Amino acid sequence: MDQFQISKMLNMNNLQDILSSGKVNANEGEQIYKFLLINDYYISSEYEVVNTLFKVMVLNNLWDAQIALRYFEYLNYEGWEYECLIVRGILLENNLSLAGEFCLETKLVQNGLSYFRDNAIWRGIDYDNEHIPISPAEWGISYDYKKKKFYKKSS
């Protein structure tokens, strides 16, 4: 799967413009939002395209608890363990905007290759405080919309 296929899935001919500018109109933002809620992009090797779509959500004030959870789940599913540790720690501190800042600063591809951090230190804080289980389901988090809080899923 490549960027063209992602743009077909999104039914957007102007995806490259969106990725370059980070700006979307309301309809495009809604399309990308809905797209990020499904799992279709999990099979894509266009990690930086998908990551940029999450960044577009932040830049256009569409970053919310649901998208932040999808970002965490995507990182977890794709094996970005240290990035996942950082996002999980930030979300469990209920700092949604800081998770968005991390997303904006994160690159999943460098020099054309997948890029994996070599530690869970971000902005001087070490988020490496727990073991990542083999099964992503054992490490999940959820969001309580009434209490407006992220919490660890109980197994």
Side-chain angles (χ1 to χ4, degrees), residues 128-145:
D128 192 0
N129 58 2
E130 59 184 301
H131 170 71
I132 300 172
I134 293 172
S135 167
E138 296 174 29
W139 205 48
I141 58 175
S142 288
Y143 185 75
D144 184 322
Y145 287 90

PDB file of all heavy atoms in Angstrom, residues 128-145:
ATOM      1  N   ASP A 128       9.731   5.162  30.590  1.00  0.00           N
ATOM      2  CA  ASP A 128       9.951   3.723  30.576  1.00  0.00           C
ATOM      3  C   ASP A 128       9.797   3.164  31.978  1.00  0.00           C
ATOM      4  O   ASP A 128      10.766   2.857  32.663  1.00  0.00           O
ATOM      5  CB  ASP A 128      11.347   3.411  30.029  1.00  0.00           C
ATOM      6  CG  ASP A 128      11.526   1.935  29.710  1.00  0.00           C
ATOM      7  OD1 ASP A 128      10.581   1.156  29.909  1.00  0.00           O
ATOM      8  OD2 ASP A 128      12.622   1.578  29.257  1.00  0.00           O
ATOM      9  N   ASN A 129       8.552   3.024  32.415  1.00  0.00           N
ATOM     10  CA  ASN A 129       8.306   2.583  33.782  1.00  0.00           C
ATOM     11  C   ASN A 129       7.519   1.279  33.871  1.00  0.00           C
ATOM     12  O   ASN A 129       7.108   0.879  34.934  1.00  0.00           O
ATOM     13  CB  ASN A 129       7.574   3.676  34.570  1.00  0.00           C
ATOM     14  CG  ASN A 129       6.262   4.068  33.922  1.00  0.00           C
ATOM     15  OD1 ASN A 129       5.880   3.490  32.903  1.00  0.00           O
ATOM     16  ND2 ASN A 129       5.578   5.031  34.486  1.00  0.00           N
ATOM     17  N   GLU A 130       7.298   0.644  32.737  1.00  0.00           N
ATOM     18  CA  GLU A 130       6.615  -0.636  32.805  1.00  0.00           C
ATOM     19  C   GLU A 130       6.941  -1.484  31.585  1.00  0.00           C
ATOM     20  O   GLU A 130       7.327  -0.971  30.543  1.00  0.00           O
ATOM     21  CB  GLU A 130       5.104  -0.459  32.973  1.00  0.00           C
ATOM     22  CG  GLU A 130       4.414   0.315  31.885  1.00  0.00           C
ATOM     23  CD  GLU A 130       2.949   0.522  32.201  1.00  0.00           C
ATOM     24  OE1 GLU A 130       2.231  -0.464  32.376  1.00  0.00           O
ATOM     25  OE2 GLU A 130       2.539   1.670  32.257  1.00  0.00           O
ATOM     26  N   HIS A 131       6.768  -2.776  31.728  1.00  0.00           N
ATOM     27  CA  HIS A 131       7.041  -3.741  30.668  1.00  0.00           C
ATOM     28  C   HIS A 131       5.920  -3.688  29.631  1.00  0.00           C
ATOM     29  O   HIS A 131       4.749  -3.592  29.964  1.00  0.00           O
ATOM     30  CB  HIS A 131       7.124  -5.145  31.282  1.00  0.00           C
ATOM     31  CG  HIS A 131       7.171  -6.229  30.270  1.00  0.00           C
ATOM     32  ND1 HIS A 131       8.272  -6.455  29.476  1.00  0.00           N
ATOM     33  CD2 HIS A 131       6.240  -7.127  29.900  1.00  0.00           C
ATOM     34  CE1 HIS A 131       8.017  -7.473  28.669  1.00  0.00           C
ATOM     35  NE2 HIS A 131       6.796  -7.892  28.912  1.00  0.00           N
ATOM     36  N   ILE A 132       6.282  -3.767  28.363  1.00  0.00           N
ATOM     37  CA  ILE A 132       5.295  -3.822  27.293  1.00  0.00           C
ATOM     38  C   ILE A 132       4.963  -5.291  27.037  1.00  0.00           C
ATOM     39  O   ILE A 132       5.838  -6.062  26.646  1.00  0.00           O
ATOM     40  CB  ILE A 132       5.825  -3.176  26.006  1.00  0.00           C
ATOM     41  CG1 ILE A 132       6.179  -1.717  26.261  1.00  0.00           C
ATOM     42  CG2 ILE A 132       4.808  -3.291  24.880  1.00  0.00           C
ATOM     43  CD1 ILE A 132       6.878  -1.036  25.110  1.00  0.00           C
ATOM     44  N   PRO A 133       3.727  -5.694  27.257  1.00  0.00           N
ATOM     45  CA  PRO A 133       3.367  -7.093  27.046  1.00  0.00           C
ATOM     46  C   PRO A 133       3.400  -7.461  25.551  1.00  0.00           C
ATOM     47  O   PRO A 133       3.329  -6.594  24.691  1.00  0.00           O
ATOM     48  CB  PRO A 133       1.950  -7.207  27.590  1.00  0.00           C
ATOM     49  CG  PRO A 133       1.510  -5.874  27.955  1.00  0.00           C
ATOM     50  CD  PRO A 133       2.625  -4.913  27.774  1.00  0.00           C
ATOM     51  N   ILE A 134       3.474  -8.735  25.274  1.00  0.00           N
ATOM     52  CA  ILE A 134       3.491  -9.223  23.890  1.00  0.00           C
ATOM     53  C   ILE A 134       2.165  -8.889  23.208  1.00  0.00           C
ATOM     54  O   ILE A 134       2.139  -8.453  22.069  1.00  0.00           O
ATOM     55  CB  ILE A 134       3.771 -10.735  23.849  1.00  0.00           C
ATOM     56  CG1 ILE A 134       5.187 -10.992  24.334  1.00  0.00           C
ATOM     57  CG2 ILE A 134       3.557 -11.294  22.458  1.00  0.00           C
ATOM     58  CD1 ILE A 134       5.528 -12.451  24.520  1.00  0.00           C
ATOM     59  N   SER A 135       1.074  -9.067  23.890  1.00  0.00           N
ATOM     60  CA  SER A 135      -0.242  -8.792  23.314  1.00  0.00           C
ATOM     61  C   SER A 135      -0.626  -7.334  23.563  1.00  0.00           C
ATOM     62  O   SER A 135      -0.718  -6.904  24.712  1.00  0.00           O
ATOM     63  CB  SER A 135      -1.296  -9.700  23.951  1.00  0.00           C
ATOM     64  OG  SER A 135      -2.588  -9.249  23.628  1.00  0.00           O
ATOM     65  N   PRO A 136      -0.860  -6.559  22.498  1.00  0.00           N
ATOM     66  CA  PRO A 136      -1.271  -5.167  22.670  1.00  0.00           C
ATOM     67  C   PRO A 136      -2.546  -5.027  23.510  1.00  0.00           C
ATOM     68  O   PRO A 136      -2.718  -4.044  24.216  1.00  0.00           O
ATOM     69  CB  PRO A 136      -1.516  -4.681  21.239  1.00  0.00           C
ATOM     70  CG  PRO A 136      -0.721  -5.578  20.374  1.00  0.00           C
ATOM     71  CD  PRO A 136      -0.697  -6.907  21.083  1.00  0.00           C
ATOM     72  N   ALA A 137      -3.416  -6.035  23.459  1.00  0.00           N
ATOM     73  CA  ALA A 137      -4.666  -5.973  24.221  1.00  0.00           C
ATOM     74  C   ALA A 137      -4.426  -5.930  25.721  1.00  0.00           C
ATOM     75  O   ALA A 137      -5.219  -5.375  26.472  1.00  0.00           O
ATOM     76  CB  ALA A 137      -5.551  -7.165  23.862  1.00  0.00           C
ATOM     77  N   GLU A 138      -3.319  -6.503  26.176  1.00  0.00           N
ATOM     78  CA  GLU A 138      -3.008  -6.532  27.605  1.00  0.00           C
ATOM     79  C   GLU A 138      -2.491  -5.198  28.122  1.00  0.00           C
ATOM     80  O   GLU A 138      -2.294  -5.034  29.322  1.00  0.00           O
ATOM     81  CB  GLU A 138      -1.940  -7.593  27.886  1.00  0.00           C
ATOM     82  CG  GLU A 138      -2.364  -9.000  27.605  1.00  0.00           C
ATOM     83  CD  GLU A 138      -1.205  -9.968  27.757  1.00  0.00           C
ATOM     84  OE1 GLU A 138      -0.296  -9.693  28.555  1.00  0.00           O
ATOM     85  OE2 GLU A 138      -1.208 -10.998  27.061  1.00  0.00           O
ATOM     86  N   TRP A 139      -2.263  -4.274  27.226  1.00  0.00           N
ATOM     87  CA  TRP A 139      -1.621  -3.038  27.602  1.00  0.00           C
ATOM     88  C   TRP A 139      -2.483  -1.815  27.256  1.00  0.00           C
ATOM     89  O   TRP A 139      -2.029  -0.693  27.254  1.00  0.00           O
ATOM     90  CB  TRP A 139      -0.276  -2.955  26.883  1.00  0.00           C
ATOM     91  CG  TRP A 139       0.713  -2.098  27.560  1.00  0.00           C
ATOM     92  CD1 TRP A 139       1.052  -2.101  28.875  1.00  0.00           C
ATOM     93  CD2 TRP A 139       1.511  -1.089  26.951  1.00  0.00           C
ATOM     94  NE1 TRP A 139       2.027  -1.171  29.121  1.00  0.00           N
ATOM     95  CE2 TRP A 139       2.325  -0.535  27.936  1.00  0.00           C
ATOM     96  CE3 TRP A 139       1.623  -0.607  25.652  1.00  0.00           C
ATOM     97  CZ2 TRP A 139       3.229   0.472  27.685  1.00  0.00           C
ATOM     98  CZ3 TRP A 139       2.531   0.386  25.395  1.00  0.00           C
ATOM     99  CH2 TRP A 139       3.316   0.917  26.411  1.00  0.00           C
ATOM    100  N   GLY A 140      -3.725  -2.075  26.976  1.00  0.00           N
ATOM    101  CA  GLY A 140      -4.607  -1.033  26.492  1.00  0.00           C
ATOM    102  C   GLY A 140      -4.987   0.011  27.521  1.00  0.00           C
ATOM    103  O   GLY A 140      -4.870  -0.185  28.726  1.00  0.00           O
ATOM    104  N   ILE A 141      -5.416   1.136  26.988  1.00  0.00           N
ATOM    105  CA  ILE A 141      -5.981   2.201  27.810  1.00  0.00           C
ATOM    106  C   ILE A 141      -7.300   2.620  27.179  1.00  0.00           C
ATOM    107  O   ILE A 141      -7.551   2.355  26.008  1.00  0.00           O
ATOM    108  CB  ILE A 141      -5.026   3.418  27.950  1.00  0.00           C
ATOM    109  CG1 ILE A 141      -4.662   4.009  26.600  1.00  0.00           C
ATOM    110  CG2 ILE A 141      -3.791   3.046  28.735  1.00  0.00           C
ATOM    111  CD1 ILE A 141      -3.816   5.271  26.680  1.00  0.00           C
ATOM    112  N   SER A 142      -8.134   3.215  27.975  1.00  0.00           N
ATOM    113  CA  SER A 142      -9.440   3.698  27.522  1.00  0.00           C
ATOM    114  C   SER A 142      -9.644   5.110  28.042  1.00  0.00           C
ATOM    115  O   SER A 142      -8.823   5.632  28.798  1.00  0.00           O
ATOM    116  CB  SER A 142     -10.561   2.796  28.041  1.00  0.00           C
ATOM    117  OG  SER A 142     -10.551   1.576  27.360  1.00  0.00           O
ATOM    118  N   TYR A 143     -10.767   5.674  27.657  1.00  0.00           N
ATOM    119  CA  TYR A 143     -11.104   7.024  28.076  1.00  0.00           C
ATOM    120  C   TYR A 143     -12.530   7.037  28.610  1.00  0.00           C
ATOM    121  O   TYR A 143     -13.439   6.497  27.987  1.00  0.00           O
ATOM    122  CB  TYR A 143     -10.978   7.988  26.893  1.00  0.00           C
ATOM    123  CG  TYR A 143     -11.188   9.431  27.254  1.00  0.00           C
ATOM    124  CD1 TYR A 143     -10.206  10.135  27.937  1.00  0.00           C
ATOM    125  CD2 TYR A 143     -12.361  10.092  26.916  1.00  0.00           C
ATOM    126  CE1 TYR A 143     -10.376  11.466  28.274  1.00  0.00           C
ATOM    127  CE2 TYR A 143     -12.540  11.421  27.246  1.00  0.00           C
ATOM    128  CZ  TYR A 143     -11.551  12.106  27.919  1.00  0.00           C
ATOM    129  OH  TYR A 143     -11.727  13.431  28.261  1.00  0.00           O
ATOM    130  N   ASP A 144     -12.696   7.601  29.790  1.00  0.00           N
ATOM    131  CA  ASP A 144     -14.018   7.759  30.393  1.00  0.00           C
ATOM    132  C   ASP A 144     -14.521   9.140  29.999  1.00  0.00           C
ATOM    133  O   ASP A 144     -14.007  10.155  30.479  1.00  0.00           O
ATOM    134  CB  ASP A 144     -13.903   7.630  31.912  1.00  0.00           C
ATOM    135  CG  ASP A 144     -15.256   7.688  32.613  1.00  0.00           C
ATOM    136  OD1 ASP A 144     -16.125   8.477  32.178  1.00  0.00           O
ATOM    137  OD2 ASP A 144     -15.431   6.962  33.602  1.00  0.00           O
ATOM    138  N   TYR A 145     -15.497   9.179  29.118  1.00  0.00           N
ATOM    139  CA  TYR A 145     -15.989  10.459  28.585  1.00  0.00           C
ATOM    140  C   TYR A 145     -16.747  11.276  29.628  1.00  0.00           C
ATOM    141  O   TYR A 145     -16.791  12.496  29.529  1.00  0.00           O
ATOM    142  CB  TYR A 145     -16.860  10.225  27.345  1.00  0.00           C
ATOM    143  CG  TYR A 145     -16.017   9.823  26.158  1.00  0.00           C
ATOM    144  CD1 TYR A 145     -15.741   8.476  25.899  1.00  0.00           C
ATOM    145  CD2 TYR A 145     -15.466  10.774  25.322  1.00  0.00           C
ATOM    146  CE1 TYR A 145     -14.945   8.107  24.826  1.00  0.00           C
ATOM    147  CE2 TYR A 145     -14.668  10.420  24.248  1.00  0.00           C
ATOM    148  CZ  TYR A 145     -14.423   9.091  24.007  1.00  0.00           C
ATOM    149  OH  TYR A 145     -13.619   8.729  22.953  1.00  0.00           O
TER     150      TYR A 145
END
